[in-house]
């Protein structure tokens, strides 16, 4: 079964420090992986997807099939990066279902 | 292009009252979801619908019913509201393939049960 694990519920860093939000997935095939972000009192929105190999707002994420991970990284965190971050997996096979992790709340302190 | 629209945005219910949260999407997506998000917590899936007329229980389905009458709309019903159902409810839809795959979320419904 597809599963997404975000081991950290909370993550706190200081402005200018590097940040890494962890995501591990469970799936036997070739995964499609995404990061979504939710700013305070707003809806979730797509941040980036691995297939595009893009950098958005300074964030990057590399798919590591050997470690089944898709960690989100930013070299220098900003206060405006404070938000909830969700890793998502899918869809696969005949299903269009996306599976979301439980989320990590990132706080960037001044 | 409105995306995913939820109504209402806010609601206060008394314990035992019933209500239906409405959700509609205009992106021709097959998959639709209902999540709840408690303060400081992550998303928890209530129900999922893969297509019109089909629904699957998620992580926390107790106390809720859903209806997917057509491709656009996916409603969530609370038959007898309880204080434990105080939460923010998000509807979402997803579709596409490969680089076009994406989920879209509604703006949320803030429900308080007193």
């Amino acid at each position: 079964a597809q599963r997404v694990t975000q081991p950290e519920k909370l993550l706190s860093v200081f402005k200018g420090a590097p940040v890494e939000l962890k995501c591990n997935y469970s799936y036997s095939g070739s995964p499609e992986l995404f990061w979504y972000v939710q700013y305070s009192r707003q809806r979730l929105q797509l941040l980036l997807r691995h297939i595009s190999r893009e950098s958005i707002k300074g964030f990057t994420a590399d798919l590591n099939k050997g470690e089944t991970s898709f960690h989100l990284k930013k070299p220098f965190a900003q206060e405006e990066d404070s938000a909830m971050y969700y890793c998502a997996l899918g869809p696969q096979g005949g299903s269009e279902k996306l599976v979301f992790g439980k989320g990590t709340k990132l706080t960037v302190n001044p | 292009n409105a995306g995913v629209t939820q109504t209402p945005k806010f609601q206060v219910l008394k314990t035992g009252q019933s209500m239906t949260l409405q959700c509609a999407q205009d992106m021709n997506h097959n998959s639709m979801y209902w999540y709840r998000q408690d303060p400081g917590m992550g998303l928890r899936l209530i129900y999922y619908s893969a297509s019109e007329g089909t629904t699957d229980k998620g992580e926390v389905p107790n106390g809720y019913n859903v209806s997917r009458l057509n491709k656009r709309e996916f409603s969530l019903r609370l038959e007898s509201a309880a204080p434990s159902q105080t939460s923010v409810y998000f509807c979402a839809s997803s579709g596409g393939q490969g680089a076009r795959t994406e989920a879209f979320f509604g703006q949320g419904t803030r429900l308080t049960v007193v």
Side-chain angles (χ1 to χ4, degrees):
Chain A
Q2 295 173 253
R3 191 165 57 245
V4 176
T5 303
Q6 293 180 248
E8 303 140 329
K9 281 188 176 181
L10 303 171
L11 184 62
S12 182
V13 300
F14 287 102
K15 177 182 174 181
V19 63
E20 180 180 68
L21 293 91
K22 292 183 169 54
C23 172
N24 290 91
Y25 65 91
S26 174
Y27 183 69
S28 58
S30 295
E32 289 188 54
L33 287 149
F34 309 83
W35 277 100
Y36 282 76
V37 62
Q38 183 187 27
Y39 300 104
S40 181
R41 290 182 167 262
Q42 295 185 24
R43 70 182 77 193
L44 276 79
Q45 55 188 290
L46 179 66
L47 180 63
L48 55 80
R49 63 187 94 202
H50 93 274
I51 198 169
S52 300
R53 301 186 66 80
E54 57 203 342
S55 174
I56 304 293
K57 299 184 179 182
F59 284 98
T60 59
D62 291 320
L63 175 62
N64 185 322
K65 290 186 179 181
E67 296 183 357
T68 60
S69 68
F70 188 57
H71 303 328
L72 184 68
K73 301 177 183 179
K74 185 170 183 177
F76 307 103
Q78 303 300 315
E79 290 180 68
E80 56 265 30
D81 296 328
S82 296
M84 281 288 286
Y85 291 82
Y86 293 91
C87 183
L89 170 66
Q92 300 294 334
S95 169
E96 291 186 357
K97 186 180 182 181
L98 283 168
V99 176
F100 282 81
K102 295 297 185 188
T104 297
K105 184 175 182 179
L106 174 65
T107 301
V108 181
N109 299 299
Chain B
N1 192 343
V4 178
T5 304
Q6 284 181 239
T7 55
K9 290 186 179 179
F10 302 93
Q11 185 70 50
V12 178
L13 290 178
K14 293 182 179 179
T15 298
Q17 286 185 318
S18 63
M19 78 162 294
T20 300
L21 281 66
Q22 305 288 352
C23 175
Q25 52 94 6
D26 60 4
M27 294 167 286
N28 202 36
H29 287 162
N30 285 318
S31 291
M32 295 189 75
Y33 315 72
W34 275 107
Y35 291 95
R36 62 177 287 174
Q37 185 179 44
D38 298 324
M41 304 288 286
L43 295 175
R44 290 190 290 173
L45 182 64
I46 304 172
Y47 271 94
Y48 167 70
S49 172
S51 62
E52 176 184 341
T54 67
T55 60
D56 292 312
K57 293 180 179 179
E59 183 183 354
V60 288
N62 291 342
Y64 305 95
N65 287 303
V66 291
S67 178
R68 182 86 182 271
L69 295 177
N70 55 58
K71 195 170 188 178
R72 289 189 66 249
E73 298 170 302
F74 190 35
S75 61
L76 177 72
R77 183 163 178 82
L78 287 71
E79 292 289 353
S80 179
S84 60
Q85 293 178 305
T86 294
S87 190
V88 180
Y89 291 84
F90 287 98
C91 176
S93 71
S94 68
Q97 296 290 329
R100 294 185 298 278
T101 302
E102 190 170 340
F104 292 84
F105 283 77
Q107 79 277 19
T109 297
R110 294 185 177 274
L111 175 66
T112 302
V113 183
V114 297

